[in-house]
Amino acid sequence: MIRITKIFTFETAHVLYNYDGKCKNMHGHSYKLFVTVKGKPINDIENPKNGMVVDFGDIKSIVKSEIVDVWDHAVLVNALSPHKELGDDLEQKGHKVIYCSFQPTCENMLYAIAAKIKSRLPEGISLAYLKLHETENSYGEWFAEDNQ
Ligand SMILES: Nc1nc2c(c(=O)[nH]1)N=C([C@H](O)[C@H](O)COP(=O)(O)OP(=O)(O)OP(=O)(O)O)CN2
Ligand SMILES: [Zn+2]
């Protein structure tokens, strides 16, 4: 088995309802996401993907369409909190709002990212690991073995 990783960046705002620190205020991060999948490299001279677990380009398409293009330059709000109204107001004024059914912390974003990617991976390829940096010095990790 081999693990391969692709790295993505996106600029996203969030606001943490009821949080007892500065991140209760709407603010943004340059998120950096590491996506690691695993599988056996194809061993078939006739296959254009010979030697690859999966084409890096296919990982890029999945992660871009499921996460990066959706969350980039958007604000994530917890729709299960009074911030839903804040989101509605922003959306009415033309802003890009993503309503989450969770507090948009690094941890919960990782769960959401994992679910979205897993639903799109081809047979024989599995999600092994995710790392999401909120800042240069703060990040969360998702390991497949912790989440079976
Ligand atoms: N366990 C978590 N703690 C915090 C989260 C989170 O998602 N999970 N999020 C925040 C804030 O949104 C934001 O990320 C600030 O984090 P923090 O590391 O405290 O920010 P700094 O500006 O101090 O970051 P430096 O990189 O150290 O400058 C808060 N906590
Ligand atoms: Zn933050």
Side-chain angles (χ1 to χ4, degrees):
M1 283 292 212
I2 296 291
R3 297 175 186 220
I4 60 169
T5 298
K6 192 132 181 80
I7 303 172
F8 302 86
T9 55
F10 50 94
E11 316 293 327
T12 303
H14 69 162
V15 52
L16 301 182
Y17 177 73
N18 199 31
Y19 176 62
D20 58 355
K22 61 186 176 182
C23 298
K24 69 181 179 189
N25 301 305
M26 194 180 292
H27 62 285
H29 295 287
S30 292
Y31 286 94
K32 191 167 186 181
L33 174 65
F34 296 70
V35 176
T36 302
V37 298
K38 71 176 180 182
K40 286 195 174 143
I42 295 164
N43 182 14
D44 175 4
I45 194 84
E46 303 296 330
N47 190 321
K49 308 296 185 189
N50 191 28
M52 300 179 185
V53 169
V54 61
D55 194 324
F56 282 125
D58 294 344
I59 301 299
K60 185 174 177 178
S61 299
I62 291 170
V63 177
K64 258 180 72 62
S65 64
E66 290 290 331
I67 297 138
V68 176
D69 292 347
V70 182
W71 288 359
D72 190 48
H73 286 82
V75 55
L76 306 185
V77 303
N78 182 352
L80 304 181
S81 80
H83 280 167
K84 167 81 169 61
E85 279 175 36
L86 178 68
D88 289 344
D89 194 36
L90 284 168
E91 202 170 39
Q92 262 183 3
K93 294 184 166 87
H95 295 282
K96 186 177 173 187
V97 176
I98 303 297
Y99 297 99
C100 307
S101 57
F102 51 80
Q103 181 85 313
T105 59
C106 188
E107 292 91 327
N108 284 333
M109 289 169 72
L110 278 165
Y111 278 138
I113 292 166
K116 285 169 190 286
I117 294 177
K118 283 169 78 173
S119 73
R120 292 279 308 274
L121 288 177
E123 219 181 299
I125 310 299
S126 62
L127 184 63
Y129 173 73
L130 296 171
K131 177 163 74 165
L132 182 64
H133 269 267
E134 269 207 347
T135 73
E136 191 67 20
N137 310 307
S138 308
Y139 63 88
E141 294 173 291
W142 180 98
F143 290 85
E145 55 266 41
D146 295 341
N147 290 282
Q148 283 162 353

